[in-house]
Amino acid sequence: MPRTAPEFRNFIDNAFVDGRSTYADLNPIDGSTVALVHEADERIVDAAVTAARAALNGAWGDWTAPERAALMRRVADLVEERFEEFVLAEIADTGKPRILAEPLDVTRAVVNFRTFADTLLSEGTPAFLTPQALNYVARKPLGVVAVIVPWNLPLLTLTWKAAPAIACGNAVIVKPSEETPATATLFAEVMRDAGAPAGVFNVVHGFGRDSAGQYLTEHPGIDAVTFTGSTATGSTIMRAVAPRVLPVSFELGGKNAALVFEDCDVDRAVAGLERSVFLNTGQVCLCTERVYVHRSIFDEVTEKLVARAEALRLGDPLDRSTTTGPLISQAHRAKVEAAVAGAISEGAQLLTGGGRPSLPAGLDADAGAWFAPTLWTGLDNSAVAMREEIFGPVAGLVPFDTEEEAVALANDTDYGLAASVWTENVDRAHRVAPQMRVGLSWINSWYARELRAPFGGAGRSGIGREGGGYSLDFYSTITNVSVAS
Ligand code: NAD
């Protein structure tokens, strides 16, 4: 470890605070140490909650919507000014290629803050006038909001939740993933430098159980939890907040399907599948892990997708020709490897990948957390590998014969986050897409996001919707005021 490894501290009351101990933040490209991270203990989490409460009871509680929107725009400007620093921080933590970190993670952080500033100012107040009464809606902040986020899109997810929470006048305590503390720490500096009053934005570092995550969700002083992560952790958090009946917004796991019909534009569909299976090394909650293809084009789609998977360029994230990085950690790779071994033992026939890739000179797949883009066929929906989320660059391909069968196969899951439907037949597209039992159903695209549209999952994929006014609804307490005529 270099003697100069930086240290990432907790951020409370606009100041950086040492933790009870430190742990090493590792770079999954080669296993090197990125930084030492100060883990928050119960005392530090308690200080964060106290600071957040004091902010709400202080001047922040009186800031008007235009003042909060102006702060948010300054935040967006400062992230833009420090764009390269954020990009390098995200790359060091995740190993993701620059060509992803730039447009996906850091740009979206800027856009999240600008969009929710706009949403706040453009949002009208609903009113209902009858001869008997005028009813109108008053919004107030929820209070102290715990923001708990994962490692796959760290800054994007943090800002997706912190922006509307701050727009609504809350004070937030962010618990970034233990795997990706860097951009949250940098973002704390930005919030301070943009002029956020002390206590409005706090960061506590650490793990889940017996660490910052658990201490935060069990703290009696928080008023709501917004969480993105696995379904299992969502369930644990729900139990933690149940005694206090706190509002939760949960964006959880998925086992997302793509339906590829015989009347699709095959090349367009295969290009879309390549993105939806392999983007961010398959570590996007929306990624496709089940591909159902009409039998008449199954061989053609399979062959073309395999060719595209094998053409992906794994390598140095700073090289602009690199398309694909490693998994987040060796521990996560072990889970992906076990899942693929399980698929094979259930009868999967590998089409490509299945193990550690060969890499350009200077990179060692074993030292980092690399795993090759992997496709298989031969499993049906009864296989564990076709039911449980793997969260890696993997998918199983399955042929179908009829539209009804395809819809039934896609919906045969406990999850319900996203689906994509590939067809040039407009009637079929509009018939099938709404039948998907998911929160997001794309026709001839995948991960095309509109930030004002509702985002969230059905079934085990989540509770609630965020985006535009849906976010403002979650991050505020709504009081209906009724004035008699
Ligand atoms: P995870 O659930 O392990 O961790 C997420 C966060 O929760 C981390 O900050 C972690 O420290 C914290 N945490 C863990 N245990 C906790 C506890 N007991 N109490 C409080 N906090 C706790 O998820 P992950 O492995 O970081 O992320 C991958 C998962 O996230 C996948 O399942 C993926 O599908 C999901 N995800 C969902 C969406 C969505 O929008 N639906 C987006 C991205 C990722």
Side-chain angles (χ1 to χ4, degrees), residues 148-152 175-178 206-209 213-214 217 227-230 233 236-237 251-254 285 389 391 417 455 461:
I148 302 180
V149 285
W151 44 258
N152 61 333
K175 212 299 279 167
S177 167
E178 53 274 31
F207 304 81
R209 199 163 155 212
Q214 182 178 339
T217 53
F227 169 71
T228 299
S230 65
T233 304
T236 304
I237 292 176
E251 295 173 350
L252 308 177
C285 52
E389 182 186 49
F391 218 55
L417 188 55
F455 182 94
S461 290

PDB file of all heavy atoms in Angstrom, residues 148-152 175-178 206-209 213-214 217 227-230 233 236-237 251-254 285 389 391 417 455 461, ligand 1:
ATOM      1  N   ILE A 148     -29.328   5.274   1.678  1.00  0.00           N
ATOM      2  CA  ILE A 148     -28.403   4.115   1.700  1.00  0.00           C
ATOM      3  C   ILE A 148     -28.292   3.578   0.280  1.00  0.00           C
ATOM      4  O   ILE A 148     -29.302   3.213  -0.333  1.00  0.00           O
ATOM      5  CB  ILE A 148     -28.909   3.049   2.680  1.00  0.00           C
ATOM      6  CG1 ILE A 148     -29.041   3.666   4.075  1.00  0.00           C
ATOM      7  CG2 ILE A 148     -27.954   1.849   2.702  1.00  0.00           C
ATOM      8  CD1 ILE A 148     -29.529   2.726   5.142  1.00  0.00           C
ATOM      9  N   VAL A 149     -27.068   3.582  -0.230  1.00  0.00           N
ATOM     10  CA  VAL A 149     -26.897   3.310  -1.668  1.00  0.00           C
ATOM     11  C   VAL A 149     -25.840   2.227  -1.928  1.00  0.00           C
ATOM     12  O   VAL A 149     -24.969   1.980  -1.095  1.00  0.00           O
ATOM     13  CB  VAL A 149     -26.551   4.620  -2.438  1.00  0.00           C
ATOM     14  CG1 VAL A 149     -27.803   5.477  -2.577  1.00  0.00           C
ATOM     15  CG2 VAL A 149     -25.453   5.417  -1.763  1.00  0.00           C
ATOM     16  N   PRO A 150     -25.922   1.590  -3.108  1.00  0.00           N
ATOM     17  CA  PRO A 150     -25.012   0.491  -3.446  1.00  0.00           C
ATOM     18  C   PRO A 150     -23.783   0.978  -4.203  1.00  0.00           C
ATOM     19  O   PRO A 150     -23.568   2.183  -4.352  1.00  0.00           O
ATOM     20  CB  PRO A 150     -25.882  -0.397  -4.323  1.00  0.00           C
ATOM     21  CG  PRO A 150     -26.744   0.563  -5.068  1.00  0.00           C
ATOM     22  CD  PRO A 150     -26.945   1.766  -4.169  1.00  0.00           C
ATOM     23  N   TRP A 151     -23.021   0.001  -4.735  1.00  0.00           N
ATOM     24  CA  TRP A 151     -21.727   0.311  -5.327  1.00  0.00           C
ATOM     25  C   TRP A 151     -21.724   0.369  -6.842  1.00  0.00           C
ATOM     26  O   TRP A 151     -20.721   0.704  -7.449  1.00  0.00           O
ATOM     27  CB  TRP A 151     -20.684  -0.727  -4.887  1.00  0.00           C
ATOM     28  CG  TRP A 151     -21.179  -2.150  -4.928  1.00  0.00           C
ATOM     29  CD1 TRP A 151     -21.575  -2.899  -3.843  1.00  0.00           C
ATOM     30  CD2 TRP A 151     -21.376  -2.977  -6.073  1.00  0.00           C
ATOM     31  NE1 TRP A 151     -21.999  -4.145  -4.255  1.00  0.00           N
ATOM     32  CE2 TRP A 151     -21.882  -4.215  -5.622  1.00  0.00           C
ATOM     33  CE3 TRP A 151     -21.170  -2.807  -7.452  1.00  0.00           C
ATOM     34  CZ2 TRP A 151     -22.199  -5.268  -6.479  1.00  0.00           C
ATOM     35  CZ3 TRP A 151     -21.485  -3.849  -8.314  1.00  0.00           C
ATOM     36  CH2 TRP A 151     -21.991  -5.062  -7.828  1.00  0.00           C
ATOM     37  N   ASN A 152     -22.831   0.005  -7.464  1.00  0.00           N
ATOM     38  CA  ASN A 152     -22.739  -0.160  -8.929  1.00  0.00           C
ATOM     39  C   ASN A 152     -22.719   1.167  -9.682  1.00  0.00           C
ATOM     40  O   ASN A 152     -21.951   1.333 -10.631  1.00  0.00           O
ATOM     41  CB  ASN A 152     -23.839  -1.097  -9.432  1.00  0.00           C
ATOM     42  CG  ASN A 152     -25.227  -0.588  -9.139  1.00  0.00           C
ATOM     43  OD1 ASN A 152     -25.433   0.150  -8.185  1.00  0.00           O
ATOM     44  ND2 ASN A 152     -26.178  -0.970  -9.947  1.00  0.00           N
ATOM     45  N   LYS A 175     -25.272   6.932   3.469  1.00  0.00           N
ATOM     46  CA  LYS A 175     -24.390   5.802   3.792  1.00  0.00           C
ATOM     47  C   LYS A 175     -24.029   5.171   2.450  1.00  0.00           C
ATOM     48  O   LYS A 175     -24.779   4.367   1.903  1.00  0.00           O
ATOM     49  CB  LYS A 175     -25.132   4.806   4.684  1.00  0.00           C
ATOM     50  CG  LYS A 175     -24.266   4.060   5.671  1.00  0.00           C
ATOM     51  CD  LYS A 175     -23.189   3.203   5.051  1.00  0.00           C
ATOM     52  CE  LYS A 175     -23.706   1.870   4.575  1.00  0.00           C
ATOM     53  NZ  LYS A 175     -22.732   1.152   3.704  1.00  0.00           N
ATOM     54  N   PRO A 176     -22.851   5.574   1.899  1.00  0.00           N
ATOM     55  CA  PRO A 176     -22.459   4.961   0.629  1.00  0.00           C
ATOM     56  C   PRO A 176     -22.071   3.503   0.859  1.00  0.00           C
ATOM     57  O   PRO A 176     -21.856   3.079   1.991  1.00  0.00           O
ATOM     58  CB  PRO A 176     -21.235   5.781   0.195  1.00  0.00           C
ATOM     59  CG  PRO A 176     -20.732   6.444   1.418  1.00  0.00           C
ATOM     60  CD  PRO A 176     -21.837   6.491   2.434  1.00  0.00           C
ATOM     61  N   SER A 177     -21.964   2.767  -0.227  1.00  0.00           N
ATOM     62  CA  SER A 177     -21.496   1.380  -0.086  1.00  0.00           C
ATOM     63  C   SER A 177     -20.066   1.380   0.442  1.00  0.00           C
ATOM     64  O   SER A 177     -19.253   2.232   0.077  1.00  0.00           O
ATOM     65  CB  SER A 177     -21.553   0.662  -1.432  1.00  0.00           C
ATOM     66  OG  SER A 177     -20.838  -0.554  -1.335  1.00  0.00           O
ATOM     67  N   GLU A 178     -19.750   0.384   1.251  1.00  0.00           N
ATOM     68  CA  GLU A 178     -18.384   0.224   1.750  1.00  0.00           C
ATOM     69  C   GLU A 178     -17.391   0.064   0.609  1.00  0.00           C
ATOM     70  O   GLU A 178     -16.214   0.374   0.735  1.00  0.00           O
ATOM     71  CB  GLU A 178     -18.293  -0.994   2.694  1.00  0.00           C
ATOM     72  CG  GLU A 178     -18.830  -2.316   2.132  1.00  0.00           C
ATOM     73  CD  GLU A 178     -20.336  -2.498   2.334  1.00  0.00           C
ATOM     74  OE1 GLU A 178     -21.073  -1.483   2.353  1.00  0.00           O
ATOM     75  OE2 GLU A 178     -20.776  -3.658   2.459  1.00  0.00           O
ATOM     76  N   GLY A 206     -19.094   2.996   6.116  1.00  0.00           N
ATOM     77  CA  GLY A 206     -19.029   1.710   6.788  1.00  0.00           C
ATOM     78  C   GLY A 206     -19.844   0.664   6.072  1.00  0.00           C
ATOM     79  O   GLY A 206     -20.256   0.842   4.922  1.00  0.00           O
ATOM     80  N   PHE A 207     -20.083  -0.429   6.796  1.00  0.00           N
ATOM     81  CA  PHE A 207     -20.737  -1.606   6.237  1.00  0.00           C
ATOM     82  C   PHE A 207     -22.213  -1.590   6.634  1.00  0.00           C
ATOM     83  O   PHE A 207     -22.706  -0.587   7.143  1.00  0.00           O
ATOM     84  CB  PHE A 207     -20.033  -2.866   6.762  1.00  0.00           C
ATOM     85  CG  PHE A 207     -18.552  -2.859   6.469  1.00  0.00           C
ATOM     86  CD1 PHE A 207     -17.662  -2.144   7.281  1.00  0.00           C
ATOM     87  CD2 PHE A 207     -18.049  -3.536   5.371  1.00  0.00           C
ATOM     88  CE1 PHE A 207     -16.303  -2.122   6.991  1.00  0.00           C
ATOM     89  CE2 PHE A 207     -16.687  -3.524   5.085  1.00  0.00           C
ATOM     90  CZ  PHE A 207     -15.822  -2.807   5.900  1.00  0.00           C
ATOM     91  N   GLY A 208     -22.886  -2.730   6.418  1.00  0.00           N
ATOM     92  CA  GLY A 208     -24.291  -2.831   6.777  1.00  0.00           C
ATOM     93  C   GLY A 208     -24.461  -3.274   8.215  1.00  0.00           C
ATOM     94  O   GLY A 208     -24.543  -2.462   9.137  1.00  0.00           O
ATOM     95  N   ARG A 209     -24.434  -4.615   8.394  1.00  0.00           N
ATOM     96  CA  ARG A 209     -24.688  -5.196   9.711  1.00  0.00           C
ATOM     97  C   ARG A 209     -23.590  -4.811  10.715  1.00  0.00           C
ATOM     98  O   ARG A 209     -22.410  -4.798  10.360  1.00  0.00           O
ATOM     99  CB  ARG A 209     -24.712  -6.715   9.536  1.00  0.00           C
ATOM    100  CG  ARG A 209     -25.391  -7.390  10.644  1.00  0.00           C
ATOM    101  CD  ARG A 209     -25.753  -8.810  10.255  1.00  0.00           C
ATOM    102  NE  ARG A 209     -25.848  -9.566  11.485  1.00  0.00           N
ATOM    103  CZ  ARG A 209     -25.552 -10.840  11.596  1.00  0.00           C
ATOM    104  NH1 ARG A 209     -25.131 -11.507  10.543  1.00  0.00           N
ATOM    105  NH2 ARG A 209     -25.681 -11.441  12.737  1.00  0.00           N
ATOM    106  N   GLY A 213     -24.601   1.163   8.478  1.00  0.00           N
ATOM    107  CA  GLY A 213     -25.917   0.929   7.877  1.00  0.00           C
ATOM    108  C   GLY A 213     -26.947   0.561   8.922  1.00  0.00           C
ATOM    109  O   GLY A 213     -28.033   1.149   8.992  1.00  0.00           O
ATOM    110  N   GLN A 214     -26.601  -0.413   9.739  1.00  0.00           N
ATOM    111  CA  GLN A 214     -27.540  -0.855  10.788  1.00  0.00           C
ATOM    112  C   GLN A 214     -27.764   0.258  11.821  1.00  0.00           C
ATOM    113  O   GLN A 214     -28.896   0.527  12.224  1.00  0.00           O
ATOM    114  CB  GLN A 214     -26.999  -2.118  11.469  1.00  0.00           C
ATOM    115  CG  GLN A 214     -27.942  -2.650  12.538  1.00  0.00           C
ATOM    116  CD  GLN A 214     -27.434  -3.934  13.185  1.00  0.00           C
ATOM    117  OE1 GLN A 214     -26.600  -4.650  12.632  1.00  0.00           O
ATOM    118  NE2 GLN A 214     -27.937  -4.218  14.371  1.00  0.00           N
ATOM    119  N   THR A 217     -30.186   2.856  10.290  1.00  0.00           N
ATOM    120  CA  THR A 217     -31.602   2.482  10.115  1.00  0.00           C
ATOM    121  C   THR A 217     -32.280   2.228  11.467  1.00  0.00           C
ATOM    122  O   THR A 217     -33.492   2.353  11.570  1.00  0.00           O
ATOM    123  CB  THR A 217     -31.742   1.240   9.215  1.00  0.00           C
ATOM    124  OG1 THR A 217     -30.923   0.193   9.729  1.00  0.00           O
ATOM    125  CG2 THR A 217     -31.340   1.552   7.792  1.00  0.00           C
ATOM    126  N   PHE A 227     -33.591   3.699  -0.049  1.00  0.00           N
ATOM    127  CA  PHE A 227     -32.575   2.652  -0.168  1.00  0.00           C
ATOM    128  C   PHE A 227     -32.543   2.095  -1.577  1.00  0.00           C
ATOM    129  O   PHE A 227     -33.585   1.825  -2.174  1.00  0.00           O
ATOM    130  CB  PHE A 227     -32.908   1.523   0.824  1.00  0.00           C
ATOM    131  CG  PHE A 227     -32.094   0.275   0.623  1.00  0.00           C
ATOM    132  CD1 PHE A 227     -30.742   0.248   0.943  1.00  0.00           C
ATOM    133  CD2 PHE A 227     -32.674  -0.875   0.097  1.00  0.00           C
ATOM    134  CE1 PHE A 227     -29.985  -0.908   0.747  1.00  0.00           C
ATOM    135  CE2 PHE A 227     -31.926  -2.031  -0.093  1.00  0.00           C
ATOM    136  CZ  PHE A 227     -30.577  -2.053   0.228  1.00  0.00           C
ATOM    137  N   THR A 228     -31.349   1.921  -2.104  1.00  0.00           N
ATOM    138  CA  THR A 228     -31.153   1.147  -3.328  1.00  0.00           C
ATOM    139  C   THR A 228     -30.157   0.059  -3.001  1.00  0.00           C
ATOM    140  O   THR A 228     -29.078   0.339  -2.460  1.00  0.00           O
ATOM    141  CB  THR A 228     -30.607   2.030  -4.467  1.00  0.00           C
ATOM    142  OG1 THR A 228     -31.556   3.049  -4.742  1.00  0.00           O
ATOM    143  CG2 THR A 228     -30.399   1.219  -5.738  1.00  0.00           C
ATOM    144  N   GLY A 229     -30.507  -1.179  -3.334  1.00  0.00           N
ATOM    145  CA  GLY A 229     -29.605  -2.281  -3.039  1.00  0.00           C
ATOM    146  C   GLY A 229     -30.334  -3.600  -3.225  1.00  0.00           C
ATOM    147  O   GLY A 229     -31.348  -3.664  -3.936  1.00  0.00           O
ATOM    148  N   SER A 230     -29.849  -4.623  -2.564  1.00  0.00           N
ATOM    149  CA  SER A 230     -30.396  -5.953  -2.796  1.00  0.00           C
ATOM    150  C   SER A 230     -31.726  -6.124  -2.059  1.00  0.00           C
ATOM    151  O   SER A 230     -32.011  -5.449  -1.063  1.00  0.00           O
ATOM    152  CB  SER A 230     -29.394  -7.005  -2.322  1.00  0.00           C
ATOM    153  OG  SER A 230     -29.231  -6.897  -0.932  1.00  0.00           O
ATOM    154  N   THR A 233     -31.264  -7.035   1.676  1.00  0.00           N
ATOM    155  CA  THR A 233     -30.992  -5.900   2.569  1.00  0.00           C
ATOM    156  C   THR A 233     -32.255  -5.048   2.737  1.00  0.00           C
ATOM    157  O   THR A 233     -32.529  -4.550   3.834  1.00  0.00           O
ATOM    158  CB  THR A 233     -29.832  -5.051   2.025  1.00  0.00           C
ATOM    159  OG1 THR A 233     -28.692  -5.891   1.850  1.00  0.00           O
ATOM    160  CG2 THR A 233     -29.474  -3.931   2.974  1.00  0.00           C
ATOM    161  N   THR A 236     -34.201  -6.533   5.435  1.00  0.00           N
ATOM    162  CA  THR A 236     -33.612  -6.269   6.763  1.00  0.00           C
ATOM    163  C   THR A 236     -33.936  -4.838   7.212  1.00  0.00           C
ATOM    164  O   THR A 236     -34.285  -4.592   8.376  1.00  0.00           O
ATOM    165  CB  THR A 236     -32.076  -6.450   6.703  1.00  0.00           C
ATOM    166  OG1 THR A 236     -31.802  -7.757   6.230  1.00  0.00           O
ATOM    167  CG2 THR A 236     -31.432  -6.245   8.056  1.00  0.00           C
ATOM    168  N   ILE A 237     -33.817  -3.896   6.291  1.00  0.00           N
ATOM    169  CA  ILE A 237     -34.085  -2.495   6.643  1.00  0.00           C
ATOM    170  C   ILE A 237     -35.563  -2.317   7.000  1.00  0.00           C
ATOM    171  O   ILE A 237     -35.921  -1.597   7.942  1.00  0.00           O
ATOM    172  CB  ILE A 237     -33.658  -1.559   5.492  1.00  0.00           C
ATOM    173  CG1 ILE A 237     -32.127  -1.585   5.353  1.00  0.00           C
ATOM    174  CG2 ILE A 237     -34.173  -0.135   5.719  1.00  0.00           C
ATOM    175  CD1 ILE A 237     -31.577  -0.782   4.189  1.00  0.00           C
ATOM    176  N   GLU A 251     -35.496   0.633  -3.976  1.00  0.00           N
ATOM    177  CA  GLU A 251     -35.174   0.237  -5.347  1.00  0.00           C
ATOM    178  C   GLU A 251     -34.263  -0.985  -5.227  1.00  0.00           C
ATOM    179  O   GLU A 251     -33.102  -0.862  -4.834  1.00  0.00           O
ATOM    180  CB  GLU A 251     -34.508   1.403  -6.092  1.00  0.00           C
ATOM    181  CG  GLU A 251     -35.491   2.564  -6.257  1.00  0.00           C
ATOM    182  CD  GLU A 251     -34.908   3.845  -6.826  1.00  0.00           C
ATOM    183  OE1 GLU A 251     -33.674   3.949  -6.943  1.00  0.00           O
ATOM    184  OE2 GLU A 251     -35.698   4.743  -7.148  1.00  0.00           O
ATOM    185  N   LEU A 252     -34.800  -2.174  -5.547  1.00  0.00           N
ATOM    186  CA  LEU A 252     -34.120  -3.425  -5.193  1.00  0.00           C
ATOM    187  C   LEU A 252     -33.660  -4.191  -6.430  1.00  0.00           C
ATOM    188  O   LEU A 252     -33.510  -3.620  -7.496  1.00  0.00           O
ATOM    189  CB  LEU A 252     -35.053  -4.269  -4.313  1.00  0.00           C
ATOM    190  CG  LEU A 252     -35.641  -3.531  -3.091  1.00  0.00           C
ATOM    191  CD1 LEU A 252     -36.601  -4.421  -2.320  1.00  0.00           C
ATOM    192  CD2 LEU A 252     -34.541  -3.017  -2.168  1.00  0.00           C
ATOM    193  N   GLY A 253     -33.446  -5.466  -6.255  1.00  0.00           N
ATOM    194  CA  GLY A 253     -32.850  -6.275  -7.324  1.00  0.00           C
ATOM    195  C   GLY A 253     -33.817  -6.605  -8.455  1.00  0.00           C
ATOM    196  O   GLY A 253     -34.992  -6.251  -8.413  1.00  0.00           O
ATOM    197  N   GLY A 254     -33.303  -7.288  -9.463  1.00  0.00           N
ATOM    198  CA  GLY A 254     -34.143  -7.676 -10.595  1.00  0.00           C
ATOM    199  C   GLY A 254     -33.631  -8.951 -11.238  1.00  0.00           C
ATOM    200  O   GLY A 254     -32.520  -9.421 -10.952  1.00  0.00           O
ATOM    201  N   CYS A 285     -28.973  -2.632 -11.983  1.00  0.00           N
ATOM    202  CA  CYS A 285     -30.170  -3.351 -11.545  1.00  0.00           C
ATOM    203  C   CYS A 285     -31.088  -3.661 -12.710  1.00  0.00           C
ATOM    204  O   CYS A 285     -31.854  -4.617 -12.664  1.00  0.00           O
ATOM    205  CB  CYS A 285     -30.906  -2.514 -10.515  1.00  0.00           C
ATOM    206  SG  CYS A 285     -31.222  -0.840 -11.100  1.00  0.00           S
ATOM    207  N   GLU A 389     -31.144 -13.288  -9.065  1.00  0.00           N
ATOM    208  CA  GLU A 389     -30.275 -12.261  -9.651  1.00  0.00           C
ATOM    209  C   GLU A 389     -28.805 -12.643  -9.457  1.00  0.00           C
ATOM    210  O   GLU A 389     -28.400 -13.027  -8.360  1.00  0.00           O
ATOM    211  CB  GLU A 389     -30.549 -10.929  -8.952  1.00  0.00           C
ATOM    212  CG  GLU A 389     -29.729  -9.782  -9.503  1.00  0.00           C
ATOM    213  CD  GLU A 389     -29.921  -8.491  -8.696  1.00  0.00           C
ATOM    214  OE1 GLU A 389     -29.823  -8.545  -7.455  1.00  0.00           O
ATOM    215  OE2 GLU A 389     -30.169  -7.446  -9.322  1.00  0.00           O
ATOM    216  N   PHE A 391     -26.184 -10.548 -11.103  1.00  0.00           N
ATOM    217  CA  PHE A 391     -25.556  -9.217 -11.073  1.00  0.00           C
ATOM    218  C   PHE A 391     -24.133  -9.250 -11.615  1.00  0.00           C
ATOM    219  O   PHE A 391     -23.188  -8.732 -11.027  1.00  0.00           O
ATOM    220  CB  PHE A 391     -25.588  -8.637  -9.651  1.00  0.00           C
ATOM    221  CG  PHE A 391     -25.845  -7.153  -9.620  1.00  0.00           C
ATOM    222  CD1 PHE A 391     -26.949  -6.606 -10.242  1.00  0.00           C
ATOM    223  CD2 PHE A 391     -24.973  -6.276  -8.970  1.00  0.00           C
ATOM    224  CE1 PHE A 391     -27.191  -5.244 -10.220  1.00  0.00           C
ATOM    225  CE2 PHE A 391     -25.205  -4.909  -8.945  1.00  0.00           C
ATOM    226  CZ  PHE A 391     -26.318  -4.401  -9.559  1.00  0.00           C
ATOM    227  N   LEU A 417     -38.572  -5.614 -12.011  1.00  0.00           N
ATOM    228  CA  LEU A 417     -38.011  -4.272 -12.199  1.00  0.00           C
ATOM    229  C   LEU A 417     -38.188  -3.775 -13.635  1.00  0.00           C
ATOM    230  O   LEU A 417     -38.839  -2.763 -13.875  1.00  0.00           O
ATOM    231  CB  LEU A 417     -36.530  -4.274 -11.799  1.00  0.00           C
ATOM    232  CG  LEU A 417     -35.869  -2.900 -11.759  1.00  0.00           C
ATOM    233  CD1 LEU A 417     -36.638  -1.938 -10.857  1.00  0.00           C
ATOM    234  CD2 LEU A 417     -34.429  -2.998 -11.301  1.00  0.00           C
ATOM    235  N   PHE A 455     -39.849   5.726 -11.632  1.00  0.00           N
ATOM    236  CA  PHE A 455     -38.801   4.692 -11.634  1.00  0.00           C
ATOM    237  C   PHE A 455     -38.983   3.854 -10.385  1.00  0.00           C
ATOM    238  O   PHE A 455     -39.066   4.379  -9.279  1.00  0.00           O
ATOM    239  CB  PHE A 455     -37.418   5.360 -11.631  1.00  0.00           C
ATOM    240  CG  PHE A 455     -36.273   4.376 -11.679  1.00  0.00           C
ATOM    241  CD1 PHE A 455     -35.692   4.024 -12.877  1.00  0.00           C
ATOM    242  CD2 PHE A 455     -35.787   3.803 -10.513  1.00  0.00           C
ATOM    243  CE1 PHE A 455     -34.649   3.109 -12.932  1.00  0.00           C
ATOM    244  CE2 PHE A 455     -34.739   2.880 -10.548  1.00  0.00           C
ATOM    245  CZ  PHE A 455     -34.171   2.549 -11.768  1.00  0.00           C
ATOM    246  N   SER A 461     -38.793  -6.361  -6.447  1.00  0.00           N
ATOM    247  CA  SER A 461     -37.873  -5.336  -6.977  1.00  0.00           C
ATOM    248  C   SER A 461     -38.056  -3.968  -6.343  1.00  0.00           C
ATOM    249  O   SER A 461     -37.334  -3.035  -6.717  1.00  0.00           O
ATOM    250  CB  SER A 461     -38.014  -5.228  -8.499  1.00  0.00           C
ATOM    251  OG  SER A 461     -37.496  -6.394  -9.107  1.00  0.00           O
TER     252      SER A 461
HETATM  253  P1  NAD B   1     -26.487  -4.419  -0.726  1.00  0.00           P
HETATM  254  O1  NAD B   1     -27.927  -4.570  -0.398  1.00  0.00           O
HETATM  255  O2  NAD B   1     -25.534  -5.442  -0.266  1.00  0.00           O
HETATM  256  O3  NAD B   1     -25.932  -3.027  -0.148  1.00  0.00           O
HETATM  257  C1  NAD B   1     -26.528  -1.796  -0.456  1.00  0.00           C
HETATM  258  C2  NAD B   1     -26.242  -0.818   0.665  1.00  0.00           C
HETATM  259  O4  NAD B   1     -26.915  -1.263   1.850  1.00  0.00           O
HETATM  260  C3  NAD B   1     -24.768  -0.694   1.024  1.00  0.00           C
HETATM  261  O5  NAD B   1     -24.495   0.650   1.341  1.00  0.00           O
HETATM  262  C4  NAD B   1     -24.656  -1.574   2.249  1.00  0.00           C
HETATM  263  O6  NAD B   1     -23.594  -1.241   3.105  1.00  0.00           O
HETATM  264  C5  NAD B   1     -25.979  -1.310   2.922  1.00  0.00           C
HETATM  265  N1  NAD B   1     -26.405  -2.353   3.860  1.00  0.00           N
HETATM  266  C6  NAD B   1     -26.118  -3.685   3.809  1.00  0.00           C
HETATM  267  N2  NAD B   1     -26.686  -4.304   4.858  1.00  0.00           N
HETATM  268  C7  NAD B   1     -27.346  -3.366   5.586  1.00  0.00           C
HETATM  269  C8  NAD B   1     -28.109  -3.392   6.789  1.00  0.00           C
HETATM  270  N3  NAD B   1     -28.328  -4.524   7.464  1.00  0.00           N
HETATM  271  N4  NAD B   1     -28.646  -2.233   7.235  1.00  0.00           N
HETATM  272  C9  NAD B   1     -28.450  -1.078   6.563  1.00  0.00           C
HETATM  273  N5  NAD B   1     -27.704  -0.986   5.438  1.00  0.00           N
HETATM  274  C10 NAD B   1     -27.166  -2.114   4.948  1.00  0.00           C
HETATM  275  O7  NAD B   1     -26.434  -4.226  -2.313  1.00  0.00           O
HETATM  276  P2  NAD B   1     -25.130  -4.070  -3.209  1.00  0.00           P
HETATM  277  O8  NAD B   1     -24.491  -5.407  -3.334  1.00  0.00           O
HETATM  278  O9  NAD B   1     -24.342  -2.903  -2.742  1.00  0.00           O
HETATM  279  O10 NAD B   1     -25.787  -3.649  -4.621  1.00  0.00           O
HETATM  280  C11 NAD B   1     -26.249  -4.557  -5.551  1.00  0.00           C
HETATM  281  C12 NAD B   1     -27.753  -4.723  -5.438  1.00  0.00           C
HETATM  282  O11 NAD B   1     -28.398  -3.460  -5.603  1.00  0.00           O
HETATM  283  C13 NAD B   1     -28.320  -5.600  -6.531  1.00  0.00           C
HETATM  284  O12 NAD B   1     -29.281  -6.463  -5.975  1.00  0.00           O
HETATM  285  C14 NAD B   1     -28.988  -4.612  -7.472  1.00  0.00           C
HETATM  286  O13 NAD B   1     -30.035  -5.148  -8.258  1.00  0.00           O
HETATM  287  C15 NAD B   1     -29.483  -3.588  -6.519  1.00  0.00           C
HETATM  288  N6  NAD B   1     -29.727  -2.312  -7.213  1.00  0.00           N
HETATM  289  C16 NAD B   1     -31.020  -1.916  -7.438  1.00  0.00           C
HETATM  290  C17 NAD B   1     -31.277  -0.739  -8.127  1.00  0.00           C
HETATM  291  C18 NAD B   1     -32.686  -0.277  -8.419  1.00  0.00           C
HETATM  292  O14 NAD B   1     -32.848   0.886  -8.762  1.00  0.00           O
HETATM  293  N7  NAD B   1     -33.695  -1.130  -8.281  1.00  0.00           N
HETATM  294  C19 NAD B   1     -30.208   0.046  -8.572  1.00  0.00           C
HETATM  295  C20 NAD B   1     -28.901  -0.384  -8.326  1.00  0.00           C
HETATM  296  C21 NAD B   1     -28.672  -1.562  -7.626  1.00  0.00           C
END
